[in-house]
Amino acid sequence: MKRIAEAYGWEKARFRRINDTVWKVRARQGEFALKRPTTSPERLAFITAALQYLKQKQFPWFAPLVLTGQGEAIWQEGGESWLATGWVQGRGCDFRRRQDCLQAARTLAALHQVAHGLTPPPGSRPKTMYWAWPEKYEERIEELQAFQKLLAMKGKLNSFERGFLQALPRGLQLARQALEVLNSSQYQVVASEAERAQAFIHRDVAARNFIIHPDGHAYLIDFDYCRQDLPAADVARLLQRAMKRQGWQREKAEAILAAYEEIRPLSAEEKTVIAAFLTFPQKFWRLANRYFYRKEGWNQEKYAAKLNKAVNYWEKVPEVCALLLAG
């Protein structure tokens, strides 16, 4: 860590490990977050460019990138890459708190207001999803059907497999509904606008990536999954994460969307696409993928519990989707 401190010009630096890839640094110059990213150098080049762009656009509610003493965004040694940001003071965001959800929505909207117009720098390779969603959903529908065929060839089924087959018709119906929207003109409008604007998003808008600052604002951290994509994808994820904690009630979704639209109004086409993202049975597909392909070492009780949660989600979403489509 001594060489890292020298590279950044940190005097009397003390390092406290937070997890496998993040350290908190206290130095004479202030407090910083030091990270050893696991992403590719090409992807990392885009992420650091995005952080610098947000600072240039004067977006206030995030952890800004800290450059080395040589003005470099990334410090490399021994085949490892390191980056540093400012340390955001405050407490962790809690999506069970209504005000935390609303502040997170406002911050996300403010991000989307400025997160466009960034041309990827030479040598970078951002993940680009503007037009990729219909194909991705088609692939996932095919995978669900493949899982069904695998079980048809199997003899005795366990409790999870029986539950999966019982839920599959409804899961496929929802997946096809979502795909139908993404094959519509509404999606084409949203994707075209995002591509033309060179929009980029945070992508991982979980509560752990918002810090509630003493000034009351929600600050965004950890842009590791930042990519070129539709702002609607971020909004859908925020609704999923927040409503999971708040309870899937129409008035709570309405409040979150209203807070977002205080800063950045959503078009009717964007709301339709958000509803499609919410409709697709993502948790159901992911659980099946883990069971059949990745062979997660969970016991049957854990698989059954996760399947039950995934299926229960389907009953709670339609009212929120109706709110979006009515708007």
Side-chain angles (χ1 to χ4, degrees):
M1 292 298 181
K2 181 179 178 181
R3 287 183 59 80
I4 294 175
E6 290 173 351
Y8 282 96
W10 293 331
E11 300 173 7
K12 296 186 177 181
R14 290 178 294 166
F15 295 79
R16 179 166 66 87
R17 192 166 195 157
I18 305 299
N19 55 42
D20 289 344
T21 60
V22 179
W23 287 257
K24 181 177 182 179
V25 183
R26 286 185 174 177
R28 180 176 291 176
Q29 290 81 358
E31 294 185 333
F32 308 93
L34 177 69
K35 189 157 194 174
R36 184 177 59 202
T38 57
T39 190
S40 70
E42 296 82 7
R43 192 70 53 80
L44 188 57
F46 176 77
I47 293 167
T48 55
L51 291 171
Q52 290 175 299
Y53 187 79
L54 291 175
K55 184 176 181 179
Q56 176 188 333
K57 300 292 283 187
Q58 299 182 327
F59 175 61
W61 301 318
F62 80 120
L65 188 69
V66 175
L67 303 181
T68 69
Q70 299 298 317
E72 297 169 331
I74 304 166
W75 189 71
Q76 294 179 317
E77 184 180 62
E80 291 185 325
S81 299
W82 300 82
L83 67 82
T85 67
W87 185 268
V88 178
Q89 301 294 338
R91 62 171 175 83
C93 179
D94 184 351
F95 281 163
R96 291 171 296 186
R97 297 184 179 188
R98 176 185 172 89
Q99 284 304 315
D100 284 14
C101 291
L102 302 186
Q103 286 301 107
R106 294 183 183 107
T107 293
L108 189 63
L111 172 73
H112 293 161
Q113 279 282 72
V114 299
H116 55 81
L118 171 62
T119 300
S124 69
R125 190 176 62 193
K127 186 169 186 178
T128 302
M129 292 290 295
Y130 302 133
W131 294 98
W133 286 104
E135 182 179 353
K136 186 169 288 291
Y137 279 5
E138 286 174 358
E139 290 172 354
R140 291 175 182 178
I141 289 171
E142 289 174 1
E143 287 181 0
L144 288 172
Q145 293 170 326
F147 300 149
Q148 184 179 31
K149 291 178 181 177
L150 283 174
L151 293 181
M153 295 185 292
K154 187 178 178 182
K156 187 177 180 181
L157 304 181
N158 61 38
S159 59
F160 169 78
E161 292 164 344
R162 291 193 298 271
F164 171 78
L165 284 179
Q166 184 177 359
L168 183 59
R170 177 60 173 157
L172 285 171
Q173 180 187 27
L174 292 171
R176 289 174 180 135
Q177 285 178 9
L179 179 60
E180 184 178 354
V181 172
L182 297 191
N183 282 328
S184 71
S185 59
Q186 290 101 322
Y187 175 79
Q188 293 169 14
V189 168
V190 173
S192 294
E193 289 178 351
E195 183 180 46
R196 184 167 54 252
Q198 293 182 299
F200 61 94
I201 68 171
H202 184 280
R203 199 279 183 183
D204 190 15
V205 288
R208 66 178 178 275
N209 288 329
F210 289 96
I211 301 295
I212 305 300
H213 192 271
D215 66 11
H217 289 103
Y219 281 61
L220 268 169
I221 62 172
D222 195 355
F223 279 72
D224 283 15
Y225 295 99
C226 173
R227 68 192 192 188
Q228 293 183 315
D229 202 348
L230 315 178
D234 259 356
V235 179
R237 285 193 185 88
L238 180 65
L239 282 169
Q240 287 170 329
R241 299 292 180 87
M243 298 295 286
K244 177 181 176 182
R245 297 297 182 185
Q246 286 270 309
W248 282 88
Q249 297 179 22
R250 182 187 177 102
E251 61 270 20
K252 292 177 180 177
E254 197 167 19
I256 292 170
L257 289 168
Y260 181 94
E261 292 195 274
E262 289 173 15
I263 310 295
R264 179 182 179 270
L266 292 162
S267 68
E269 291 84 2
E270 282 184 299
K271 290 181 179 180
T272 300
V273 171
I274 292 168
F277 284 144
L278 292 175
T279 299
F280 188 85
Q282 176 71 12
K283 289 184 180 294
F284 181 70
W285 165 81
R286 184 186 294 130
L287 181 62
N289 183 275
R290 286 177 171 173
Y291 182 82
F292 291 102
Y293 285 168
R294 293 167 57 181
K295 306 293 184 183
E296 294 279 4
W298 299 334
N299 58 38
Q300 291 300 311
E301 289 76 14
K302 185 168 184 177
Y303 272 114
K306 287 185 174 292
L307 177 62
N308 188 52
K309 286 183 179 179
V311 172
N312 285 341
Y313 169 84
W314 302 344
E315 307 305 320
K316 300 172 182 177
V317 173
E319 191 173 4
V320 175
C321 290
L323 167 67
L324 285 159
L325 297 175

